[in-house]
Amino acid sequence: MTNTPLDYDAWIGHQAVDKDGQKIGTIAALYNDDETGEPEWVTITTGLFGTKQTFAPIAGARNADDDLQLAYSKDTVKGAPKIEADGHLEASEEAELYRYYDLDAGKRAPAAKGNLAQGKAHDDAMTRSEEELSVSTQGKEVGRARLVKRVVTEDVNVTVPVQHEEVRLEREAITDANRAQAMDGPEISEGEHETVLNAEEVVVSKRVVPQERVKLAKDTVTEDQKVSETVRKEQIDVDADRPVKE
């Protein structure tokens, strides 16, 4: 069992889907029967990085626009025996695939509805493809901020002027103006005179005064971040006996 002739190469690079239309992977190669020359197996790249190839029967497949729709489910194809896609199927490897897909040699796979898959016309050209890097962004939570109000105390020192009265002794000489007051009363006697002294005292009171409103605001900051990734691309070289002009 060997690779198919070039007239089927156009399938390579197209998508293979299962019987329900679910994408399985990319077609990597087609294998034809050594005796009949008819395409019998297709290999499909699967896995996270597209490095694993899985064999599936091409019989019973049909064209689905630009895709090749197989007659099996995605899980069935992905669970096929792990056989090295090295360009040739040994008889024992092919027999293992027949057993897995419940096929006998020469027995066709279950028919799929629609037009059966046909080999693409050969146009003497080879398609070169390459991977294109697609970079996008998505939001994720990186932290949280919240306002917390607590009651704290602080010492406040204020200087307040206060007044108080003190006694000061004043002496007046007897004059015509105060003689009458001075002579009012007995000439010689005892007595007393009382004066009330006043003083200010500090009275402290507190009241709540709103000072300001505080809230959280968000700013969006844009910065450049470098992304490095490896992409694959195909390179087509010419292998000829004579020089080729471009």
Side-chain angles (χ1 to χ4, degrees), residues 1-4 30-36 38-41 55 86-91 93-94 97-98:
M1 181 70 63
T2 57
N3 291 90
T4 55
L30 285 91
Y31 285 64
N32 69 320
D33 187 90
D34 289 335
E35 297 180 0
T36 66
E38 293 296 323
E40 193 163 1
W41 303 98
F55 281 84
D86 56 3
H88 186 270
L89 273 177
E90 301 295 337
E93 295 174 331
E94 189 175 16
L97 289 172
Y98 277 129

Side-chain angles (χ1 to χ4, degrees), residues 72-93:
Y72 297 87
S73 69
K74 179 177 180 179
D75 291 339
T76 300
V77 175
K78 295 187 71 173
K82 306 300 183 288
I83 295 176
E84 185 69 28
D86 56 3
H88 186 270
L89 273 177
E90 301 295 337
S92 59
E93 295 174 331

Side-chain angles (χ1 to χ4, degrees), residues 45 48 53 57 130-132 140 142 158 165 192 232:
T45 57
L48 183 60
Q53 293 191 28
E130 62 182 54
E131 293 179 333
E132 187 177 273
K140 69 173 184 178
V142 296
V158 179
E165 297 176 335
E192 61 181 30
R232 299 179 301 166

Side-chain angles (χ1 to χ4, degrees), residues 44-245:
I44 305 166
T45 57
T46 60
L48 183 60
F49 299 102
T51 56
K52 185 176 85 171
Q53 293 191 28
T54 303
F55 281 84
I58 196 174
R62 71 178 183 88
N63 295 323
D65 295 328
D66 288 334
D67 299 332
L68 178 64
Q69 186 168 15
L70 302 177
Y72 297 87
S73 69
K74 179 177 180 179
D75 291 339
T76 300
V77 175
K78 295 187 71 173
K82 306 300 183 288
I83 295 176
E84 185 69 28
D86 56 3
H88 186 270
L89 273 177
E90 301 295 337
S92 59
E93 295 174 331
E94 189 175 16
E96 185 179 0
L97 289 172
Y98 277 129
R99 286 192 298 271
Y100 175 77
Y101 286 104
D102 195 21
L103 295 171
D104 295 329
K107 179 181 177 182
R108 301 187 65 81
K113 294 180 180 179
N115 297 325
L116 293 179
Q118 301 293 327
K120 303 282 185 175
H122 178 45
D123 61 358
D124 294 327
M126 184 178 292
T127 300
R128 187 186 69 83
S129 302
E130 62 182 54
E131 293 179 333
E132 187 177 273
L133 192 63
S134 177
V135 180
S136 61
T137 61
Q138 64 179 11
K140 69 173 184 178
E141 182 177 308
V142 296
R144 295 190 179 192
R146 63 182 183 273
L147 289 175
V148 180
K149 184 166 68 171
R150 299 185 179 90
V151 177
V152 298
T153 61
E154 63 176 348
D155 294 332
V156 178
N157 296 315
V158 179
T159 300
V160 180
V162 292
Q163 295 181 337
H164 67 276
E165 297 176 335
E166 296 181 351
V167 175
R168 176 167 51 84
L169 188 63
E170 293 185 353
R171 297 178 183 272
E172 295 180 352
I174 302 299
T175 63
D176 292 337
N178 60 18
R179 184 178 298 276
Q181 293 177 327
M183 297 299 294
D184 184 18
E187 294 182 358
I188 299 296
S189 65
E190 293 181 355
E192 61 181 30
H193 183 77
E194 185 178 88
T195 298
V196 177
L197 300 177
N198 297 299
E200 294 178 336
E201 64 178 10
V202 177
V203 178
V204 178
S205 63
K206 293 182 285 187
R207 62 189 178 97
V208 177
V209 180
Q211 296 294 323
E212 62 181 351
R213 286 173 50 83
V214 180
K215 62 181 180 179
L216 290 177
K218 295 191 297 184
D219 295 325
T220 299
V221 180
T222 301
E223 61 182 3
D224 294 331
Q225 183 173 334
K226 292 185 177 180
V227 178
S228 299
E229 186 57 76
T230 300
V231 296
R232 299 179 301 166
K233 64 180 180 179
E234 297 172 338
Q235 178 176 310
I236 299 177
D237 297 320
V238 178
D239 186 4
D241 296 332
R242 304 185 65 180
V244 178
K245 295 181 180 180

